[in-house]
Amino acid sequence: SAVISQKPSRDICQRGTSLTIQCQVDSQVTMMFWYRQQPGQSLTLIATANQGSEATYESGFVIDKFPISRPNLTFSTLTVSNMSPEDSSIYLCSVDRGYEQYFGPGTRLTVT
Amino acid sequence: QQQVKQSPQSLIVQKGGISIINCAYENTAFDYFPWYQQFPGKGPALLIAIRPDVSEKKEGRFTISFNKSAKQFSLHIMDSQPGDSATYFCAASPGNQFYFGTGTSLTVIP
């Protein structure tokens, strides 16, 4: 398994500002994933972050809006930029161990 | 296009009853099928998973039934308890990415 922590656990932000979410894993992993879960919805993959290379973004998500850093094998950040109320969601970090995927506790973001 | 279709959207079961959640897929490249349990305010937690070379996997009160020819799999929760009340997501993976169902909100009433 994997132990994943995220900071902050929740935040309320104003429109037009940015928030950086941190994800820390208890052991080294090659890939880290960022998901968005809108209220009552399923999980949508935002991007995959490999250490030492640019993140790979899924359709509908762009680097200017969701810049990702991956400075080492246990840490990643996701920034939600120029926020609007539509960005209100839970943002989840995850890692995989072979086929098994493990999730952090999530960051609940509310944009007013 | 939803790669994995999940039903029902919500489910209410009496304590001690059997909860059944169904998922269907089309992509034959999928070869790993996990179920996740998510409590409010928490991230999804891996509950049980199956590969298509077996038709059933059981762990405690949780069983996955897998029908390869029908491209369907289901989660059965036996002797459902109020503590099982959560949202359940099925998923499927071809090895490099996970595709999630839309979730089922399960409520077990005492």
Side-chain angles (χ1 to χ4, degrees):
Chain A
S1 65
V3 178
I4 305 170
S5 60
Q6 286 185 233
K7 290 181 181 179
S9 59
R10 59 176 62 228
D11 208 340
I12 301 173
C13 301
Q14 289 197 340
R15 181 196 299 260
T17 62
S18 298
L19 176 72
T20 296
I21 303 167
Q22 299 178 8
C23 177
Q24 180 76 50
V25 189
D26 65 336
S27 57
Q28 294 182 347
V29 292
T30 303
M31 291 193 292
M32 296 178 76
F33 306 88
W34 287 99
Y35 284 85
R36 182 173 73 182
Q37 184 178 24
Q38 294 179 308
Q41 302 293 316
S42 187
L43 293 84
T44 301
L45 181 64
I46 297 172
T48 301
N50 287 328
Q51 195 270 334
S53 63
E54 292 284 331
T56 302
Y57 289 83
E58 297 300 306
S59 175
F61 298 96
V62 295
I63 188 171
D64 289 346
K65 176 69 175 176
F66 298 100
I68 289 172
S69 78
R70 183 76 201 276
N72 58 52
L73 290 173
T74 62
F75 187 80
S76 178
T77 67
L78 169 76
T79 299
V80 186
S81 303
N82 188 25
M83 288 183 285
S84 66
E86 293 71 34
D87 294 320
S88 297
S89 282
I90 299 171
Y91 291 85
L92 294 154
C93 168
S94 78
V95 302
D96 60 6
R97 288 270 189 268
Y99 268 85
E100 297 180 350
Q101 192 164 42
Y102 298 92
F103 289 87
T107 296
R108 182 178 294 271
L109 170 62
T110 302
V111 184
T112 61
Chain B
Q1 181 185 1
Q2 190 72 30
Q3 294 264 6
V4 180
K5 297 181 180 179
Q6 183 173 347
S7 63
Q9 185 175 359
S10 63
L11 182 61
I12 301 174
V13 174
Q14 290 271 2
K15 177 183 176 181
I18 302 174
S19 303
I20 302 174
I21 305 170
N22 301 299
C23 284
Y25 65 97
E26 287 297 327
N27 189 342
T28 56
F30 291 152
D31 64 354
Y32 178 70
F33 303 87
W35 285 89
Y36 288 84
Q37 179 187 56
Q38 185 178 28
F39 293 106
K42 305 291 186 182
L46 180 62
L47 188 62
I48 186 173
I50 197 169
R51 292 191 179 276
D53 53 342
V54 297
S55 60
E56 185 176 281
K57 183 174 181 180
K58 184 176 181 179
E59 290 185 1
R61 296 184 294 108
F62 300 92
T63 300
I64 299 179
S65 295
F66 187 83
N67 186 329
K68 187 175 182 178
S69 61
K71 299 197 199 103
Q72 295 175 347
F73 58 109
S74 59
L75 175 70
H76 296 237
I77 306 174
M78 313 299 288
D79 187 25
S80 299
Q81 299 296 312
D84 296 330
S85 297
T87 299
Y88 292 81
F89 292 96
C90 63
S93 175
N96 57 354
Q97 187 169 344
F98 284 77
Y99 299 88
F100 289 86
T102 49
T104 296
S105 177
L106 171 65
T107 302
V108 181
I109 53 178

XYZ file of all heavy atoms in Angstrom, chain B residues 30-94:
519
model
N -9.102 -3.821 -21.065
C -9.114 -3.724 -19.609
C -8.781 -5.093 -19.026
O -9.371 -6.106 -19.413
C -10.474 -3.275 -19.098
C -10.813 -1.851 -19.435
C -12.133 -1.458 -19.582
C -9.828 -0.890 -19.585
C -12.470 -0.147 -19.879
C -10.151 0.423 -19.890
C -11.479 0.796 -20.043
N -7.844 -5.122 -18.082
C -7.494 -6.400 -17.474
C -7.340 -6.318 -15.967
O -6.751 -7.201 -15.336
C -6.224 -6.970 -18.114
C -5.002 -6.091 -17.873
O -5.163 -4.989 -17.318
O -3.899 -6.511 -18.243
N -7.869 -5.265 -15.391
C -7.824 -5.130 -13.938
C -9.038 -4.315 -13.531
O -9.301 -3.245 -14.093
C -6.525 -4.421 -13.526
C -6.375 -4.178 -12.039
C -6.150 -5.237 -11.162
C -6.424 -2.893 -11.516
C -5.986 -5.011 -9.808
C -6.278 -2.664 -10.170
C -6.053 -3.713 -9.315
O -5.897 -3.494 -7.975
N -9.781 -4.855 -12.546
C -11.067 -4.268 -12.197
C -11.150 -4.111 -10.682
O -11.529 -5.030 -9.963
C -12.209 -5.145 -12.720
C -12.155 -5.367 -14.199
C -11.413 -6.414 -14.738
C -12.826 -4.521 -15.067
C -11.344 -6.619 -16.113
C -12.762 -4.714 -16.439
C -12.023 -5.757 -16.957
N -10.834 -2.913 -10.179
C -10.906 -2.679 -8.732
C -12.214 -2.002 -8.325
O -12.904 -1.384 -9.140
C -9.725 -1.731 -8.492
C -9.632 -0.937 -9.764
C -10.104 -1.849 -10.884
N -12.515 -2.145 -7.066
C -13.605 -1.399 -6.452
C -13.020 -0.524 -5.346
O -12.158 -0.968 -4.579
C -14.651 -2.341 -5.857
C -15.522 -2.983 -6.889
C -15.302 -4.147 -7.545
C -16.767 -2.476 -7.374
N -16.328 -4.403 -8.420
C -17.241 -3.407 -8.332
C -17.544 -1.345 -7.101
C -18.449 -3.226 -9.016
C -18.735 -1.165 -7.773
C -19.182 -2.100 -8.721
N -13.545 0.697 -5.262
C -13.097 1.637 -4.248
C -14.270 2.031 -3.362
O -15.417 2.142 -3.825
C -12.498 2.899 -4.888
C -11.152 2.661 -5.526
C -11.060 2.164 -6.821
C -9.978 2.908 -4.828
C -9.827 1.937 -7.409
C -8.744 2.673 -5.413
C -8.682 2.187 -6.699
O -7.459 1.950 -7.267
N -13.954 2.268 -2.098
C -14.932 2.709 -1.114
C -14.518 4.109 -0.661
O -13.349 4.325 -0.309
C -14.938 1.737 0.066
C -15.893 2.072 1.180
C -15.674 1.134 2.372
O -14.570 1.029 2.905
N -16.724 0.436 2.785
N -15.467 5.031 -0.661
C -15.135 6.389 -0.262
C -16.133 6.902 0.771
O -17.333 6.964 0.509
C -15.115 7.338 -1.460
C -14.652 8.752 -1.122
C -14.593 9.658 -2.342
O -15.318 9.484 -3.307
N -13.704 10.658 -2.297
N -15.598 7.255 1.929
C -16.414 7.875 2.962
C -16.342 9.398 2.804
O -15.358 9.930 2.278
C -15.921 7.460 4.349
C -16.138 6.005 4.642
C -15.082 5.104 4.635
C -17.408 5.520 4.926
C -15.277 3.764 4.901
C -17.616 4.173 5.193
C -16.546 3.297 5.160
N -17.370 10.097 3.269
C -17.371 11.572 3.135
C -16.112 12.188 3.728
O -15.686 11.843 4.828
C -18.622 11.969 3.918
C -19.525 10.788 3.837
C -18.616 9.595 3.870
N -15.502 13.069 2.966
C -14.319 13.767 3.439
C -13.034 12.973 3.325
O -11.974 13.425 3.778
N -13.100 11.802 2.735
C -11.918 10.947 2.590
C -11.660 10.648 1.125
O -12.539 10.777 0.283
C -12.121 9.629 3.348
C -12.463 9.784 4.814
C -11.287 10.307 5.601
C -11.605 10.318 7.092
N -10.472 10.870 7.886
N -10.441 10.227 0.846
C -10.149 9.776 -0.501
C -10.644 8.354 -0.705
O -10.893 7.629 0.246
N -10.808 7.938 -1.963
C -11.228 6.555 -2.228
C -10.181 5.573 -1.722
O -8.977 5.810 -1.851
C -11.320 6.514 -3.757
C -11.422 7.932 -4.193
C -10.657 8.724 -3.194
N -10.650 4.479 -1.171
C -9.766 3.439 -0.655
C -10.018 2.152 -1.421
O -11.174 1.749 -1.611
C -9.997 3.226 0.831
N -8.939 1.521 -1.857
C -9.066 0.263 -2.579
C -9.697 -0.789 -1.679
O -9.232 -1.048 -0.571
C -7.685 -0.209 -3.033
C -7.616 -1.518 -3.797
C -8.393 -1.432 -5.108
C -6.165 -1.902 -4.076
N -10.777 -1.399 -2.191
C -11.542 -2.363 -1.404
C -11.221 -3.789 -1.820
O -10.869 -4.636 -1.005
C -13.029 -2.077 -1.599
C -14.045 -2.823 -0.759
C -13.858 -2.526 0.713
C -15.460 -2.438 -1.202
N -11.343 -4.054 -3.072
C -11.122 -5.390 -3.618
C -10.949 -5.245 -5.123
O -11.471 -4.292 -5.715
C -12.311 -6.324 -3.261
C -12.053 -7.768 -3.675
C -13.607 -5.789 -3.850
C -13.129 -8.746 -3.173
N -10.217 -6.156 -5.719
C -9.984 -6.067 -7.157
C -9.933 -7.464 -7.754
O -9.652 -8.447 -7.048
C -8.691 -5.318 -7.452
N -10.168 -7.538 -9.050
C -10.167 -8.836 -9.740
C -9.528 -8.699 -11.109
O -9.546 -7.602 -11.700
C -11.618 -9.382 -9.855
C -11.622 -10.869 -10.176
C -12.411 -8.590 -10.910
C -13.005 -11.509 -10.036
N -8.951 -9.767 -11.578
C -8.454 -9.842 -12.944
C -9.365 -10.766 -13.730
O -10.038 -11.622 -13.159
C -7.017 -10.349 -12.956
C -6.040 -9.363 -12.353
C -4.609 -9.790 -12.628
N -3.665 -8.841 -12.066
C -3.296 -7.747 -12.689
N -3.788 -7.465 -13.874
N -2.421 -6.929 -12.134
N -9.411 -10.640 -15.049
C -10.412 -11.368 -15.832
C -10.165 -12.873 -15.962
O -10.965 -13.560 -16.589
C -10.342 -10.680 -17.204
C -9.014 -10.048 -17.266
C -8.664 -9.672 -15.860
N -9.097 -13.381 -15.356
C -8.854 -14.814 -15.459
C -9.626 -15.608 -14.414
O -9.609 -16.837 -14.423
C -7.346 -15.114 -15.358
C -6.708 -14.509 -14.128
O -7.304 -13.595 -13.535
O -5.610 -14.957 -13.759
N -10.332 -14.916 -13.518
C -11.181 -15.585 -12.540
C -12.572 -14.978 -12.601
O -12.747 -13.843 -13.022
C -10.626 -15.480 -11.106
C -9.281 -16.185 -11.000
C -10.495 -14.026 -10.675
N -13.565 -15.766 -12.188
C -14.949 -15.289 -12.270
C -15.448 -14.717 -10.948
O -16.486 -14.054 -10.909
C -15.871 -16.421 -12.721
O -15.801 -17.479 -11.782
N -14.714 -14.965 -9.882
C -15.169 -14.485 -8.589
C -13.989 -14.325 -7.648
O -13.040 -15.113 -7.665
C -16.187 -15.464 -7.988
C -16.815 -14.995 -6.687
C -17.884 -15.957 -6.193
O -19.006 -15.925 -6.716
O -17.565 -16.739 -5.272
N -14.071 -13.285 -6.819
C -13.070 -13.096 -5.781
C -13.788 -12.634 -4.535
O -14.624 -11.726 -4.588
C -12.015 -12.077 -6.197
C -10.914 -11.899 -5.161
C -9.823 -11.006 -5.672
C -8.716 -10.859 -4.637
N -7.621 -9.977 -5.144
N -13.446 -13.269 -3.414
C -14.124 -12.958 -2.173
C -13.111 -12.545 -1.122
O -12.085 -13.179 -0.940
C -14.901 -14.188 -1.689
C -15.725 -13.968 -0.444
C -16.531 -15.222 -0.114
C -17.380 -15.016 1.129
N -18.181 -16.218 1.453
N -13.432 -11.462 -0.416
C -12.617 -11.024 0.717
C -13.566 -10.604 1.823
O -14.191 -9.539 1.772
C -11.692 -9.865 0.320
C -10.573 -10.264 -0.609
C -9.595 -9.138 -0.903
O -9.782 -8.027 -0.366
O -8.647 -9.364 -1.689
N -13.710 -11.505 2.806
C -14.632 -11.222 3.891
C -16.056 -11.150 3.383
O -16.540 -12.057 2.707
N -16.730 -10.036 3.658
C -18.117 -9.887 3.223
C -18.233 -9.327 1.808
O -19.342 -9.165 1.294
C -18.849 -8.950 4.203
C -18.956 -9.491 5.608
C -19.780 -8.577 6.517
N -19.142 -7.285 6.740
C -19.571 -6.134 6.214
N -20.623 -6.098 5.423
N -18.941 -4.997 6.492
N -17.111 -9.016 1.189
C -17.106 -8.392 -0.134
C -16.720 -9.409 -1.208
O -15.715 -10.104 -1.080
C -16.134 -7.211 -0.163
C -16.471 -6.133 0.831
C -15.913 -6.154 2.103
C -17.351 -5.125 0.508
C -16.230 -5.165 3.035
C -17.664 -4.133 1.430
C -17.111 -4.159 2.684
N -17.524 -9.475 -2.260
C -17.281 -10.402 -3.360
C -17.407 -9.653 -4.677
O -18.354 -8.881 -4.864
C -18.281 -11.563 -3.338
O -18.148 -12.284 -2.099
C -18.046 -12.517 -4.509
N -16.448 -9.894 -5.568
C -16.582 -9.418 -6.941
C -16.968 -10.611 -7.791
O -16.308 -11.662 -7.755
C -15.269 -8.831 -7.488
C -14.800 -7.634 -6.678
C -15.471 -8.400 -8.947
C -13.479 -7.054 -7.190
N -18.009 -10.415 -8.599
C -18.367 -11.399 -9.609
C -18.026 -10.815 -10.971
O -18.337 -9.650 -11.243
C -19.865 -11.715 -9.553
O -20.181 -12.337 -8.337
N -17.375 -11.609 -11.800
C -16.884 -11.103 -13.086
C -17.386 -11.982 -14.216
O -17.236 -13.211 -14.175
C -15.352 -11.075 -13.069
C -14.762 -10.420 -14.278
C -14.639 -9.052 -14.347
C -14.332 -11.180 -15.361
C -14.101 -8.431 -15.465
C -13.795 -10.575 -16.479
C -13.675 -9.199 -16.536
N -18.009 -11.362 -15.224
C -18.512 -12.063 -16.391
C -17.788 -11.510 -17.613
O -18.163 -10.462 -18.142
C -20.028 -11.894 -16.519
C -20.621 -12.736 -17.638
O -19.970 -12.986 -18.656
N -21.849 -13.170 -17.455
N -16.750 -12.205 -18.056
C -15.912 -11.696 -19.136
C -16.682 -11.594 -20.443
O -16.549 -10.621 -21.187
C -14.692 -12.588 -19.303
C -13.666 -12.064 -20.277
C -12.429 -12.950 -20.276
C -11.364 -12.423 -21.216
N -10.133 -13.264 -21.171
N -17.498 -12.584 -20.743
C -18.210 -12.581 -22.024
C -19.222 -11.443 -22.091
O -19.440 -10.845 -23.143
C -18.903 -13.918 -22.257
O -19.852 -14.169 -21.229
N -19.832 -11.121 -20.968
C -20.809 -10.032 -20.924
C -20.157 -8.684 -20.660
O -20.834 -7.649 -20.724
C -21.856 -10.319 -19.855
N -18.878 -8.694 -20.354
C -18.148 -7.470 -20.009
C -18.844 -6.751 -18.853
O -19.102 -5.534 -18.915
C -17.999 -6.552 -21.224
C -17.225 -7.162 -22.382
C -16.782 -6.080 -23.340
C -16.442 -6.672 -24.694
N -17.477 -6.460 -25.697
N -19.116 -7.513 -17.812
C -19.775 -6.958 -16.641
C -19.096 -7.490 -15.387
O -18.583 -8.614 -15.373
C -21.259 -7.340 -16.629
C -22.056 -6.757 -17.777
C -23.491 -7.258 -17.789
O -23.840 -8.209 -17.109
N -24.332 -6.598 -18.570
N -19.111 -6.665 -14.358
C -18.636 -7.126 -13.067
C -19.444 -6.418 -11.983
O -19.982 -5.334 -12.211
C -17.131 -6.916 -12.895
C -16.655 -5.492 -13.027
C -16.214 -4.796 -11.922
C -16.606 -4.860 -14.269
C -15.740 -3.497 -12.035
C -16.142 -3.567 -14.402
C -15.704 -2.887 -13.284
N -19.542 -7.080 -10.852
C -20.389 -6.541 -9.805
C -19.749 -6.746 -8.437
O -18.935 -7.648 -8.242
C -21.773 -7.186 -9.849
O -21.664 -8.583 -9.685
N -20.144 -5.881 -7.538
C -19.704 -5.975 -6.139
C -20.901 -6.402 -5.304
O -21.975 -5.800 -5.396
C -19.187 -4.620 -5.653
C -18.799 -4.543 -4.177
C -17.533 -5.369 -3.914
C -18.574 -3.090 -3.743
N -20.695 -7.447 -4.509
C -21.715 -7.913 -3.584
C -21.202 -7.694 -2.166
O -20.087 -8.133 -1.834
C -21.999 -9.404 -3.787
C -22.569 -9.725 -5.129
N -23.774 -10.368 -5.303
C -22.105 -9.485 -6.377
C -24.022 -10.509 -6.599
N -23.021 -9.989 -7.268
N -21.999 -7.031 -1.366
C -21.662 -6.855 0.050
C -22.661 -7.671 0.852
O -23.860 -7.348 0.889
C -21.708 -5.374 0.472
C -20.820 -4.531 -0.445
C -21.260 -5.230 1.930
C -20.919 -3.034 -0.183
N -22.174 -8.733 1.449
C -23.039 -9.613 2.229
C -23.194 -9.048 3.638
O -22.300 -8.354 4.141
C -22.428 -11.026 2.301
C -21.959 -11.564 0.973
S -23.284 -11.718 -0.231
C -24.128 -13.125 0.479
N -24.333 -9.371 4.261
C -24.565 -8.938 5.643
C -24.213 -7.452 5.797
O -23.402 -7.063 6.639
C -23.726 -9.793 6.606
C -24.030 -9.518 8.073
O -25.143 -9.071 8.379
O -23.117 -9.743 8.902
N -24.808 -6.626 4.967
C -24.476 -5.197 4.950
C -24.697 -4.569 6.327
O -25.674 -4.875 7.028
C -25.332 -4.476 3.903
O -25.086 -4.996 2.607
N -23.775 -3.680 6.683
C -23.800 -3.014 7.983
C -23.870 -1.500 7.805
O -23.413 -0.975 6.778
C -22.543 -3.373 8.763
C -22.384 -4.855 9.043
C -23.498 -5.384 9.939
O -23.820 -4.787 10.966
N -24.090 -6.504 9.542
N -24.410 -0.799 8.788
C -24.449 0.672 8.666
C -23.078 1.285 8.391
O -22.975 2.307 7.702
C -25.001 1.107 10.029
C -25.876 -0.033 10.446
C -25.156 -1.277 9.964
N -22.025 0.664 8.894
C -20.675 1.159 8.634
C -20.233 1.008 7.195
O -19.205 1.571 6.795
N -21.002 0.258 6.397
C -20.686 0.120 4.968
C -21.239 1.295 4.169
O -20.976 1.406 2.967
C -21.296 -1.169 4.410
C -20.711 -2.418 5.054
O -19.521 -2.382 5.455
O -21.441 -3.422 5.175
N -22.033 2.140 4.812
C -22.616 3.291 4.123
C -21.502 4.198 3.618
O -20.721 4.740 4.398
C -23.544 4.064 5.057
O -24.636 3.262 5.461
N -21.426 4.321 2.309
C -20.336 5.037 1.653
C -20.664 5.119 0.171
O -21.689 4.599 -0.280
C -19.007 4.307 1.854
N -19.783 5.761 -0.568
C -19.894 5.749 -2.020
C -18.902 4.738 -2.574
O -17.739 4.701 -2.147
C -19.619 7.143 -2.615
O -20.582 8.061 -2.106
C -19.730 7.115 -4.138
N -19.365 3.926 -3.497
C -18.536 2.873 -4.076
C -18.317 3.170 -5.563
O -19.253 3.492 -6.297
C -19.205 1.510 -3.907
C -19.259 1.091 -2.454
C -20.249 1.582 -1.611
C -18.305 0.223 -1.922
C -20.281 1.230 -0.269
C -18.336 -0.137 -0.586
C -19.320 0.377 0.240
O -19.350 0.027 1.571
N -17.074 3.083 -5.962
C -16.699 3.293 -7.361
C -16.096 2.012 -7.926
O -15.205 1.425 -7.312
C -15.649 4.400 -7.499
C -16.143 5.772 -7.167
C -15.941 6.303 -5.902
C -16.790 6.536 -8.114
C -16.388 7.573 -5.585
C -17.244 7.814 -7.802
C -17.042 8.330 -6.540
N -16.578 1.607 -9.083
C -15.861 0.576 -9.809
C -14.874 1.260 -10.747
O -14.997 2.460 -11.032
C -16.807 -0.321 -10.603
S -17.735 0.530 -11.907
N -13.908 0.526 -11.201
C -12.920 1.068 -12.127
C -12.406 -0.059 -13.008
O -12.600 -1.244 -12.713
C -11.769 1.734 -11.374
N -11.773 0.338 -14.088
C -11.159 -0.630 -14.985
C -9.877 -0.032 -15.522
O -9.774 1.189 -15.707
C -12.111 -0.982 -16.129
N -8.912 -0.901 -15.751
C -7.615 -0.408 -16.202
C -6.999 -1.370 -17.216
O -7.037 -2.587 -17.031
C -6.671 -0.262 -15.009
O -5.372 0.096 -15.452
N -6.405 -0.805 -18.273
C -5.639 -1.638 -19.205
C -4.172 -1.722 -18.792
O -3.370 -2.338 -19.474
C -5.777 -0.877 -20.521
C -5.847 0.560 -20.103
C -6.526 0.588 -18.754
